[in-house]
Amino acid sequence: MKEYWDAFVQFLKEYNMTKAGEAIRNVDWGRVLEQPVFWIAVVVFLGWVFWKKAFKSLLVVCSIVAFIFLLQHTLPPAGQPMTLEKLVPFAGGCLGILAVNVYFLIIRSD
């Protein structure tokens, strides 16, 4: 676990926003899904969510995953111009994620 944390800290030290965006864009999700550490973290997180009934935390994590997916599939690589065909889906997706979060986290607070 310490090696994962050290790799994460090294990533934060070395990468700026351009490199971080490129790294997110190049993530191989098939390889991530094969990692047992990923599945252990998912099971522990879901267990915590159901035990504490912290479903808003699940919404936040799902929103972050949706935003990363949106970044990967709509934004061009660094240095390339942003076209309207890419900007409209990105803006619409961001507004959709924002609307869902505002509704469940602010308007419909339990």
Side-chain angles (χ1 to χ4, degrees), residues 23-79:
I24 288 174
R25 196 172 289 108
N26 292 331
V27 170
D28 181 14
W29 291 106
R31 191 166 158 229
V32 170
L33 293 175
E34 294 174 356
Q35 298 294 321
V37 173
F38 172 78
W39 289 108
I40 290 170
V42 167
V43 169
V44 168
F45 176 72
L46 288 176
W48 177 80
V49 165
F50 287 114
W51 182 46
K52 292 287 191 177
K53 295 184 170 102
F55 296 109
K56 290 182 180 182
S57 299
L58 184 61
L59 175 68
V60 170
V61 169
C62 289
S63 296
I64 292 170
V65 169
F67 184 71
I68 290 173
F69 178 78
L70 192 63
L71 283 174
Q72 283 184 325
H73 293 286
T74 57
L75 291 183

Side-chain angles (χ1 to χ4, degrees), residues 2 12 16 29 40 62-63 69 74 80 84 93 98 101 110:
K2 184 176 180 346
L12 291 177
N16 57 21
W29 291 106
I40 290 170
C62 289
S63 296
F69 178 78
T74 57
Q80 293 186 359
L84 186 61
L98 181 66
N101 281 307
D110 294 334

Side-chain angles (χ1 to χ4, degrees), residues 11-22:
F11 173 81
L12 291 177
K13 286 180 186 176
E14 180 180 333
Y15 284 72
N16 57 21
M17 286 306 291
T18 304
K19 287 185 180 180
E22 192 64 32

